[in-house]
Amino acid sequence: MRSALVFLFDLFAVAIAWCGGLLLRFNFDLPSEYVRLAFLGLGGLLVVHAVACRWAGLYRGMWVFASLPDLKRVLKAVAVSGVALVMWVALDRGPTAIPRSMIVLYPVLLLLVMGGGRAAWRMWKEHRLYGGLIAQGKPVVIVGAGRGGAMLMRELERSPDWRVVALVDDDSGKWGMELFGIPIVGGLGALPEVLREFKASHVILAMPSAATETLRRATDIGVRAGAHVFTVPGLEELMNGRVSISAMRPVEIEDLLGREPVNIDTENVQAMLAGRTVLVTGAGGSIGSELCRQLSRFEPGTLVLLESSEFALYSVEQWFARNRPDVRVVSLAGDVKDSVRLDEVFAVWAPQIVFHAAAYKHVPLMEVGNAWQAVRNNVLGTLQVAVHAERYKAERFVFISTDKAVNPTNVMGATKRLAEMVCEALHSFGTKATQFEIVRFGNVLGSTGSVIPKFAEQIAHGGPVTVTHPEINRYFMSIPEAAQLVLQASAMGHGGEVFVLDMGEPVKIVDLARNMIRLSGYSDEEIRIEFTGLRPGEKLYEELLADAEATRETPHPKLRIARSRSVPEGFLNELQGWLGQPGPVSDDAVRAGLKRWVPEYVPASHGVTSAASEETQVREQV
């Protein structure tokens, strides 16, 4: 019925265009001799136009969503009718010839009636459906009057929650203009005044491809003006169709620390992993679990997950069951220090690629009371897995290290450096059956035990937010970025390399805390920042390269190769004797041993501060 009614409307449009054109030609005084011609011409044009409309596919689109594709179909149908009329005029030799002006009048009127009718219907339907919502939504200012802003406005038109009142854009050429009837009132610097003028308390950043610095500046201005700041998905997500432009979310601290998207050589990574059996130790941790998710993209034959935490292992297994049931996953509970269990894992599954991510990583926790356990897990565990990888002829062994291994001042960093030396020794003096590679990077955003979840919890409880020192800074990268670069480094390595990831610029932790407070809708006065003093083993600045190291470039812009201090030939035998001593071993004895093996390790003077004395340190309020 709908198609039949639309079809009748289009035939009616032909009658209006044909008769209206003749009346216009003769100033609404049609000569009697042209009446017969009018009826004859109308009959012929109705037949031609009916065929043209069917050919153009005019009855596929819904009028309520009439858009450019529908207009193109209308133009096709009108063009066919117009060509038919031109041919008639050219062949007509009768005494009452068709006026040549109809060649212009008829198609113009036909296009106006057909196109205008569809546009009017859509406007009327949208007004009925959404017109009443316009005055109900919360007033919002959009930052960005480009394509992202236009897409966002079209979707917000139908939302009862939002009412766009103004736009701002740093392109001065757009100032004073309108986008869908909404004024572009100035640049980003005018945002506070615009919010006050339009009584708005919400800002949406419609800049999906903007640089991080621009996003940070826009967020800072909006937050300082007391607004709630939202952002739209990134351009890559929009282009891939994973989300809609209207899938807004509050700006998060990860956006302000944002880094450029990582591009990896998927062809080489695919060649390395496709069809292979891959073992990931520490598979339930922050890095390990993301590494498993990234590995699943490259069609491994079997993905073996080794994890000591039952809950973490269950969680990552359930993720695969929900999201990647096509990947063959083997979930194994086990400790990397358990040689018998490792024998079983390697004998049964014979992994060809091993990613060793299992480690104790919390610096203060490992510093006091747990130093020997850090040595056993981080050094002995690495040695056990690496030796088994070599014994069972795994092709590659990739060790996940940290920037805290560079000039370490804490037990955790020293154990990771010692584990690096284990891999370097096996590469230099081993059987050469396995290719050993090391990847070193800094903090990852949102990892378990990291500063961002801690700050978020403190803000949720009303503060205060505790920062150890006003000048402390850290390098940050996202968990997916870290995992992807680990895969890239592993595919690129030839054995023995220490890959250093480009961590960008370090971030001051106190600035991070202030931004998180503001993004949560609080002022610096409402939630205080308190300085508590450096924790055991903590240092102000992290380094990615030791003083004696140099780097060389790789084909990937975010990866460099470090040249570290060589390891003596008898190193492994002596180290195994030290690791094999029965416990318990005191923290001081552990530090002395680490100092022997890692000469660059200089324990911080506060590293031995007891937990009790640390809590008595005077707190300074910002």
Side-chain angles (χ1 to χ4, degrees):
M1 176 62 71
R2 183 188 64 82
S3 296
L5 291 174
V6 176
F7 179 65
L8 290 175
F9 172 80
D10 288 338
L11 295 183
F12 180 64
V14 171
I16 293 176
W18 175 248
C19 297
L22 287 174
L23 289 172
L24 287 173
R25 165 62 181 81
F26 293 106
N27 295 321
F28 295 92
D29 186 14
L30 186 68
S32 57
E33 61 267 25
Y34 277 92
V35 173
R36 180 176 174 276
L37 177 67
F39 282 104
L40 182 64
L42 179 60
L45 288 173
L46 284 173
V47 173
V48 171
H49 192 68
V51 174
C53 287
R54 286 291 176 183
W55 168 77
L58 268 174
Y59 309 115
R60 298 174 193 159
M62 299 175 64
W63 276 29
V64 70
F65 300 118
S67 56
L68 284 177
D70 299 284
L71 180 58
K72 290 177 181 177
R73 296 187 185 109
V74 170
L75 287 171
K76 285 182 181 179
V78 170
V80 172
S81 287
V83 169
L85 180 59
V86 170
M87 293 173 63
W88 186 11
V89 170
L91 297 173
D92 188 9
R93 295 291 183 267
T96 53
I98 299 172
R100 282 171 166 72
S101 58
M102 287 297 292
I103 296 175
V104 175
L105 289 171
Y106 170 71
V108 168
L109 291 173
L110 182 59
L111 179 62
L112 286 174
V113 175
M114 292 180 67
R118 284 166 168 78
W121 178 264
R122 175 173 176 173
M123 290 170 62
W124 180 71
K125 289 289 288 184
E126 290 203 349
H127 178 74
R128 280 191 59 195
L129 292 171
Y130 311 115
L133 303 177
I134 294 175
Q136 295 180 9
K138 297 184 286 288
V140 62
V141 176
I142 292 179
V143 177
R147 180 173 297 181
M151 293 171 64
L152 180 61
M153 285 193 62
R154 293 302 298 267
E155 297 203 30
L156 292 185
E157 282 179 350
R158 304 187 179 102
S159 170
D161 301 319
W162 303 102
R163 174 168 53 94
V164 181
V165 293
L167 297 100
V168 297
D169 195 295
D170 276 343
D171 183 356
S172 58
K174 298 176 182 177
W175 298 352
M177 303 180 73
E178 293 185 351
L179 186 62
F180 300 121
I182 304 299
I184 304 170
V185 294
L188 190 54
L191 184 58
E193 291 76 16
V194 174
L195 290 168
R196 284 195 296 271
E197 179 182 351
F198 289 92
K199 297 179 173 59
S201 58
H202 293 82
V203 173
I204 303 176
L205 308 181
M207 303 180 293
S209 59
T212 301
E213 185 57 40
T214 304
L215 181 65
R216 186 183 297 120
R217 175 171 169 255
T219 302
D220 189 56
I221 293 174
V223 168
R224 286 178 179 274
H228 299 283
V229 183
F230 294 80
T231 186
V232 297
L235 190 59
E236 182 183 357
E237 293 177 299
L238 294 174
M239 296 297 289
N240 291 339
R242 293 197 292 266
V243 293
S244 164
I245 188 77
S246 62
M248 298 172 299
R249 58 171 176 78
V251 173
E252 298 170 349
I253 194 64
E254 287 86 348
D255 298 312
L256 305 187
L257 299 175
R259 294 163 56 84
E260 298 301 318
V262 175
N263 296 311
I264 65 174
D265 185 356
T266 54
E267 186 175 337
N268 280 343
V269 176
Q270 178 85 14
M272 177 184 72
L273 297 172
R276 304 296 182 88
T277 299
V278 182
L279 168 66
V280 180
T281 70
S286 304
I287 293 296
S289 59
E290 180 61 29
L291 195 53
C292 293
R293 286 188 281 269
Q294 296 288 344
L295 284 165
S296 68
R297 298 167 45 202
F298 298 97
E299 303 172 356
T302 303
L303 197 53
V304 183
L305 315 180
L306 183 64
E307 173 59 56
S308 60
S309 165
E310 180 188 33
F311 178 73
L313 183 62
Y314 170 77
S315 298
V316 70
E317 180 190 50
Q318 289 301 300
W319 184 91
F320 275 96
R322 290 190 307 270
N323 299 283
R324 294 303 304 268
D326 55 307
V327 178
R328 186 189 183 198
V329 172
V330 178
S331 302
L332 302 177
D335 192 323
V336 292
K337 302 186 294 296
D338 186 345
S339 180
V340 175
R341 179 58 164 161
L342 290 177
D343 263 324
E344 180 187 7
V345 170
F346 276 86
V348 172
W349 299 106
Q352 295 151 297
I353 315 289
V354 178
F355 291 93
H356 180 50
Y360 287 151
K361 64 178 185 178
H362 197 273
V363 171
L365 198 60
M366 294 300 104
E367 196 70 18
V368 180
N370 297 302
W372 184 239
Q373 294 307 310
V375 169
R376 286 181 52 77
N377 197 64
N378 293 358
V379 184
L380 179 61
T382 300
L383 177 61
Q384 294 274 32
V385 179
V387 166
H388 280 81
E390 187 176 52
R391 182 183 306 160
Y392 287 91
K393 295 181 171 53
E395 297 173 14
R396 293 174 189 262
F397 178 92
V398 183
F399 173 58
I400 311 299
S401 190
T402 171
D403 58 356
K404 295 173 179 62
V406 183
N407 294 329
T409 60
N410 51 67
V411 168
M412 195 283 281
T415 59
K416 294 296 276 187
R417 174 58 193 141
L418 194 50
E420 288 183 358
M421 294 167 66
V422 166
C423 297
E424 293 174 62
L426 286 170
H427 166 72
S428 300
F429 310 114
T431 63
K432 310 297 183 185
T434 302
Q435 193 171 295
F436 290 92
E437 296 155 15
I438 300 161
V439 184
R440 184 190 288 171
F441 54 85
N443 302 279
V444 290
L445 296 170
S447 65
T448 54
S450 68
V451 68
I452 290 178
K454 174 188 171 184
F455 285 172
E457 183 180 358
Q458 290 176 333
I459 292 169
H461 287 87
V465 173
T466 56
V467 178
T468 57
H469 194 281
E471 298 301 321
I472 193 169
N473 66 24
R474 290 292 182 265
Y475 293 95
F476 286 97
M477 71 173 10
S478 69
I479 295 177
E481 181 182 9
Q484 289 178 62
L485 288 176
V486 167
L487 294 182
Q488 178 66 73
S490 61
M492 187 185 295
H494 300 289
E497 299 97 340
V498 178
F499 286 95
V500 181
L501 306 191
D502 171 19
M503 296 298 297
E505 295 298 319
V507 176
K508 289 185 71 170
I509 301 301
V510 68
D511 292 339
L512 182 69
R514 288 195 180 102
N515 282 326
M516 288 189 67
I517 290 169
R518 291 168 183 168
L519 288 177
S520 301
Y522 299 101
S523 67
D524 295 352
E525 291 75 28
E526 291 173 307
I527 292 188
R528 306 186 314 277
I529 296 176
E530 292 183 353
F531 296 120
T532 59
L534 291 175
R535 298 175 298 175
E538 193 171 44
K539 57 182 178 179
L540 284 179
Y541 310 103
E542 300 290 3
E543 306 158 82
L544 291 177
L545 293 174
D547 296 338
E549 292 176 324
T551 64
R552 55 187 173 88
E553 293 182 344
T554 71
H556 196 282
K558 291 197 173 185
L559 289 170
R560 297 183 69 86
I561 296 175
R563 185 180 67 248
S564 59
R565 174 175 50 80
S566 61
V567 179
E569 188 170 350
F571 166 76
L572 280 178
N573 290 332
E574 294 183 44
L575 178 66
Q576 285 174 315
W578 184 61
L579 294 174
Q581 62 181 303
V585 180
S586 70
D587 291 349
D588 288 340
V590 169
R591 291 190 185 92
L594 288 174
K595 180 64 179 172
R596 171 194 170 194
W597 300 110
V598 186
E600 61 269 30
Y601 168 48
V602 180
S605 58
H606 54 275
V608 294
T609 304
S610 68
S613 64
E614 182 191 1
E615 291 197 6
T616 62
Q617 294 179 29
V618 178
R619 293 187 173 185
E620 302 176 49
Q621 180 176 327
V622 177

